[in-house]
Every structure is written in structure tokens, then in C-alpha cells.
Amino acid sequence: MNCIIVRCTCVPVRIFRNWAYCNSDADWVGDHETRRSTTGFTFIFGGAAVSWGSKLQKTVALSTMAAEYMALCKASKEAFWLNKLVQSVASQGLRTAISGGPINIKVDNSGCIDFSKNPVEHKRTKHIEIRYHFVREAITTDKVTLEHCANDDMVADSMTKELGKTKHDRQVEAMGLC
């Protein structure tokens, strides 16, 4: 069996401080039959979408913040995977334009961002399952950073709900798909 080994050297034009960013969103109670929410995320690298997902959440969220937090957890897991992929590429001796720093995740729910950064359990949030606190670990280990994003700028909206033509076209352009 013959193997061909290809070596690639990418000369960076510029170094990205945050090599990728993500938009994370949820459509609270989007499924009217089951009352479950939809998670959506889009990772952008170099102006183009490189990873995205949309999935019905496994449990019913009791609030918008809880739905957004579950979506943020899913996006954080994807960020971990992308970070490991980049580290793997870098360990193969390939030069990249990637700094390997934390991935910035944009969220349009301020309550979700505050809850992610505050490890204190509150009476109104103790129903949120422990598995979703993966986000807190991702923040404390500097794998991800969180940033508030205005609703109109949320690229992941197209992953969670139907959009009007104008907003859809804007989202497609922001993802680098046209």
C-alpha cells in the first residue's frame, strides 16, 4: 500500500487575535407540540461559516434564559472540539493564521451571560441540569469568552427560526455563504 504525504505551509497574511467566533441562539418553545426549544449556533472563521448546527433541545426549558444557556452549552462543546482540531493541525507542523486563543461566543441574552459567569445557584435557576454548567468550566479555563450581541446581529437566528427575506439575506452574507 502506497501512502502520499502532503505537507502544506500556509503563510498567514495577518494573525487573528480571536481566530474564530460563534453566534449561539435559542428559539424558546419553538416546537408548539412538545414545547421544546431549538438550539442553533454558527462558527465563523476568516469571514465564512465553518461549523453550524440546529437541533431541538432534549428537555423543556422553563425560561428564555434556560433555553439560551442550553444552546450556549452546545456551542461551547463545539468550540472545544474546534480548538482541539486547530491544535492538532498546529502540532503537525503546519503554520496557520490561528492564534489558538479562546473562542468568542456571541449571545443575545444578557441573563444567560450573567448566569454563565456567576457560579452561585439561585432559587429560580436550580432546575437547570448540572450538565449544562459545562459552560462555566469553559469560561474559567479560558476556552471561550462571552459577548453580548444585539438581536439584529445574531447570525444564528437562521438556525432557530424562519426569517424574513431581508434578514435571511443579511444572515447568509454574514456567514460568508454568498
Side-chain angles (χ1 to χ4, degrees), residues 97-159:
I98 299 169
S99 69
I103 296 176
N104 188 32
I105 300 178
K106 298 180 181 185
V107 183
D108 61 1
N109 186 298
S110 300
C112 179
I113 294 171
D114 294 342
F115 182 68
S116 300
K117 294 178 179 179
N118 186 1
V120 178
E121 291 297 324
H122 300 284
K123 189 176 185 181
R124 288 184 271 167
T125 58
K126 64 182 179 181
H127 66 277
I128 296 175
E129 294 182 41
I130 297 297
R131 67 180 163 159
Y132 296 114
H133 294 311
F134 178 85
V135 175
R136 290 180 180 164
E137 182 179 331
I139 292 169
T140 57
T141 58
D142 289 329
K143 298 293 184 194
V144 300
T145 59
L146 301 182
E147 176 184 341
H148 186 265
C149 177
N151 273 340
D152 290 341
D153 299 330
M154 179 50 67
V155 176
D157 264 353
S158 59
M159 299 292 157

Side-chain angles (χ1 to χ4, degrees), residues 67-84:
E68 294 277 355
Y69 192 66
M70 288 185 229
L72 181 56
C73 179
K74 188 80 169 164
S76 295
K77 289 178 183 178
E78 186 76 4
F80 261 54
W81 181 83
L82 286 171
N83 220 345
K84 285 185 181 188

